[in-house]
Amino acid sequence: MQSYRKNKLRTLIQMVHRIYNWPTAFTLRLFRGRRSGLRLLAFRDGFNVMLRSGSRDWDVLHEILFAGSYSRAFEFAASLPSGGSVLDLGGNIGLFSLTCARRAPGARIFAYEPGPPNFRMFEMNCLANPDL
C-alpha cells in the first residue's frame, strides 16, 4: 500500500512539473468515468495531447509518458539513423508514435490503428503537434 501511495504522489508531482495546465490533468484523472468531453493537455516542453474524459486515454498517457514503460523502445528510436523506421501496430491515440517522432526526428513512423474512435483521436493528436 505504501508503494501505491508513493507512485500516486510521484505521478502528481510529475504532472505539476511537466504539464502547463496540470489542474486539467488532475481533474481528468480524479473524475475518470464521470465526465465526458475532450481535454487538451499542454506540456511545458511544447507537446500537446488530446484525451477523452471517461475513457482509458489517461492510462495510455500515464504508461507512455509517466511510468516509463516504453523507455527502452524510446531509447532505441532515438538511436535510429536518419531515415530509420518505426512501426506502431495498434497506434491507439498516437502517443507512442508521436513520442518516437519527438525522440527520433529523422525517423519515418508507420502507425496503424483500426478502431475509428481511436483513429480520430490519433489524427487530433497529430494536428495538435504540427511540428511532428
Side-chain angles (χ1 to χ4, degrees), residues 33-88:
R34 290 186 241 161
R35 294 183 179 175
S36 61
L38 298 176
R39 303 288 185 270
L40 178 68
L41 299 183
F43 283 74
R44 296 182 193 275
D45 63 2
F47 192 51
N48 296 303
V49 177
M50 185 74 73
L51 301 176
R52 297 167 287 199
S53 296
S55 73
R56 304 289 298 200
D57 291 351
W58 172 263
D59 298 331
V60 173
L61 177 120
H62 181 268
E63 183 177 346
I64 291 175
L65 299 179
F66 290 112
S69 300
Y70 291 82
S71 59
R72 291 188 72 196
F74 296 138
E75 287 172 20
F76 177 77
S79 73
L80 288 173
S82 185
S85 298
V86 173
L87 180 61
D88 183 3

Side-chain angles (χ1 to χ4, degrees), residues 1-127:
M1 190 62 151
Q2 184 73 9
S3 174
Y4 178 78
R5 287 188 183 132
K6 275 184 169 179
N7 288 339
K8 293 292 182 188
L9 181 59
R10 185 173 55 234
T11 298
L12 177 61
I13 292 168
Q14 286 180 349
M15 255 195 293
V16 171
H17 284 283
R18 295 180 64 191
I19 302 173
Y20 178 73
N21 59 335
W22 64 267
T24 301
F26 183 75
T27 303
L28 186 68
R29 180 66 180 115
L30 188 64
F31 297 110
R32 182 165 83 181
R34 290 186 241 161
R35 294 183 179 175
S36 61
L38 298 176
R39 303 288 185 270
L40 178 68
L41 299 183
F43 283 74
R44 296 182 193 275
D45 63 2
F47 192 51
N48 296 303
V49 177
M50 185 74 73
L51 301 176
R52 297 167 287 199
S53 296
S55 73
R56 304 289 298 200
D57 291 351
W58 172 263
D59 298 331
V60 173
L61 177 120
H62 181 268
E63 183 177 346
I64 291 175
L65 299 179
F66 290 112
S69 300
Y70 291 82
S71 59
R72 291 188 72 196
F74 296 138
E75 287 172 20
F76 177 77
S79 73
L80 288 173
S82 185
S85 298
V86 173
L87 180 61
D88 183 3
L89 299 175
N92 200 275
I93 61 173
L95 296 182
F96 178 80
S97 293
L98 290 169
T99 303
C100 282
R102 293 176 71 210
R103 301 271 175 102
R108 295 178 303 164
I109 311 292
F110 297 94
Y112 301 92
E113 172 50 52
N118 285 343
F119 181 73
R120 284 191 292 276
M121 291 302 297
F122 196 129
E123 287 181 316
M124 283 189 232
N125 282 321
C126 288
L127 291 170

